[in-house]
């Protein structure tokens, strides 16, 4: 499969990689976020190209991996997910046929029972419709483990932010692609399997980080009233207030990075918020 490379950003997840890498049917680049375990060695033993990063870049490690790829398309996978056989071949066909579409989001099935990921259901019901030139419902968000994107478009907008790290990092990229004039679509005929591991996960810390990143994304790309609404909604929980405090600490360094999206993109984002 010469037209697509699978990119995996990971850290200290050797057991998960040992299970998942054998299931990929395209070349894989693993960006290892300064793991302290055998993650890099496991990836190399599985035949992946390994980038041993000197520090934990979070989601921005995917951008580094994309810079090392040479294919027209790059597909993302987590260390506990993989694309269904044939899905990437079909995705390449769809992108070739839709030149103004930068990103395809696949349907995600969770665990051995193959439960539909709720976000997939939401994308299928997207209120943004299906504009001409898109192969499926238009979206302004996605799950990073289940998308394929044009490498030139992804790198053209800067890839994943090095400020957001992990946790809700997808929205900023989606807004940036849409602002650059690219289409993003949900295509349920494409399937990704996700078998999430709970090892080492802290749900409260994850919620706090997601609030932080949602607020920072709003500050960077949305009108000030939307920023205020996002801040107000964070006050209703302990994790939300902690995330708000984290975002406030990060704002001074981002003062000059604010670049609101065009009105049409903001209107679409606001429509999603009302849905």
């Amino acid at each position: 499969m010469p037209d697509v490379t699978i990119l995996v950003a990971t850290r200290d997840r050797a057991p998960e990689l040992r299970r998942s890498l054998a299931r990929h049917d395209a070349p894989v680049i693993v960006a290892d976020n300064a793991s302290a375990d055998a993650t890099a060695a496991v990836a190399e033993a599985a035949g992946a190209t390994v980038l041993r990063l000197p520090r934990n870049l979070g989601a921005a490690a995917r951008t580094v991996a994309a810079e090392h790829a040479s294919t027209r398309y790059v597909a993302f996978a987590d260390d506990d997910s993989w694309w269904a056989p044939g899905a990437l071949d079909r995705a390449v066909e769809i992108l070739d046929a839709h030149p103004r579409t930068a990103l395809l989001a696949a349907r995600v099935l969770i665990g051995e029972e193959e439960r539909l990921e709720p976000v997939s259901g939401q994308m299928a019901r997207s209120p943004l419709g299906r504009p001409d030139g898109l192969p499926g419902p238009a979206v302004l968000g996605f799950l990073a483990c289940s998308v394929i994107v044009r490498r030139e478009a992804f790198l053209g907008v800067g890839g994943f932010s090095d400020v957001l790290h992990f946790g809700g990092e997808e929205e900023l990229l989606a807004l940036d692609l849409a602002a650059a004039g690219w289409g993003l679509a949900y295509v349920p005929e494409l399937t990704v399997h996700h078998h999430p591991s709970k090892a080492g996960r802290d749900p409260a810390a994850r919620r706090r980080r997601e609030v932080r990143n949602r607020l920072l994304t709003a500050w960077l790309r949305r009108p000030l009233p939307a920023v205020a609404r996002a801040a107000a909604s964070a006050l209703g929980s302990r994790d939300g207030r902690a995330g708000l405090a984290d975002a406030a600490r990060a704002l001074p360094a981002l003062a000059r990075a604010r670049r609101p999206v065009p009105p049409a993109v903001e209107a679409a984002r606001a429509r999603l918020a009302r849905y």
Side-chain angles (χ1 to χ4, degrees), residues 228-272:
R229 289 193 296 272
S233 68
L235 295 173
S237 69
R238 180 178 179 179
D239 295 333
R241 292 188 293 273
L244 177 57
D246 291 344
R249 283 190 287 270
L251 278 181
L254 300 176
R256 297 185 179 182
R258 179 171 161 76
R259 190 173 68 250
V261 297
V265 177
E266 171 56 28
R269 176 63 183 81
R271 198 177 313 146
L272 286 172

Side-chain angles (χ1 to χ4, degrees), residues 14 17-18 21 30 32 35 37-48 50 52:
L17 277 179
R18 193 173 284 113
L21 285 180
V30 172
D32 178 27
S35 291
D37 69 355
T39 289
V42 166
E44 287 175 341
V50 180
R52 296 173 182 255

Side-chain angles (χ1 to χ4, degrees), residues 2-275:
D3 284 331
V4 60
T5 304
I6 297 172
L7 310 181
V8 180
T10 187
R11 185 170 189 264
D12 292 338
R13 302 268 285 175
E16 287 79 8
L17 277 179
R18 193 173 284 113
R19 290 192 296 269
S20 66
L21 285 180
R23 297 177 179 268
H24 295 309
D25 58 3
V28 180
I29 296 177
V30 172
D32 178 27
N33 273 314
S35 291
D37 69 355
T39 289
V42 166
E44 287 175 341
T49 297
V50 180
L51 306 178
R52 296 173 182 255
L53 305 180
R55 61 188 179 90
N56 185 359
L57 300 181
R62 301 186 188 113
T63 308
V64 177
E67 291 168 347
H68 281 76
S70 59
T71 50
R72 290 186 297 140
Y73 305 117
V74 291
F76 302 121
D78 284 351
D79 43 42
D80 52 11
S81 75
W82 56 90
W83 289 76
L88 288 175
D89 284 325
R90 178 60 181 143
V92 167
E93 293 175 354
I94 293 170
L95 285 168
D96 283 348
H98 297 83
R100 294 307 305 161
T101 299
L103 179 148
L104 303 180
R107 177 184 63 146
V108 179
L109 300 179
I110 301 175
E112 297 291 345
E113 65 275 25
E114 298 196 334
R115 291 181 292 108
L116 182 68
E117 161 66 52
V119 173
S120 296
Q122 292 169 7
M123 288 192 291
R125 301 186 298 273
S126 170
L128 303 182
R130 184 173 175 171
D132 289 343
L134 280 189
V139 296
L140 271 179
F142 53 86
L143 296 173
C145 70
S146 61
V147 297
I148 179 171
V149 64
R150 293 182 191 276
R151 178 175 172 271
E152 64 166 342
F154 175 70
L155 294 178
V157 299
F160 284 103
S161 167
D162 58 359
V163 172
L164 302 185
H165 208 259
F166 274 123
E169 71 273 12
E170 297 94 343
E171 183 184 3
L172 182 59
L173 175 60
L175 291 172
D176 285 349
L177 286 170
W182 290 103
L184 298 81
Y186 174 61
V187 182
E189 71 175 279
L190 307 176
T191 299
V192 163
H193 298 280
H194 188 199
H195 289 213
S197 168
K198 296 182 180 179
R201 302 293 175 88
D202 183 340
R206 176 79 179 194
R207 290 192 296 269
R208 175 175 176 170
R209 178 57 65 111
E210 288 175 344
V211 170
R212 170 193 182 270
N213 289 347
R214 185 161 55 248
L215 290 167
L216 292 179
T217 297
W219 164 257
L220 288 168
R221 297 292 182 264
R222 304 197 63 199
L224 292 178
V227 179
R229 289 193 296 272
S233 68
L235 295 173
S237 69
R238 180 178 179 179
D239 295 333
R241 292 188 293 273
L244 177 57
D246 291 344
R249 283 190 287 270
L251 278 181
L254 300 176
R256 297 185 179 182
R258 179 171 161 76
R259 190 173 68 250
V261 297
V265 177
E266 171 56 28
R269 176 63 183 81
R271 198 177 313 146
L272 286 172
R274 295 192 300 267
Y275 181 66

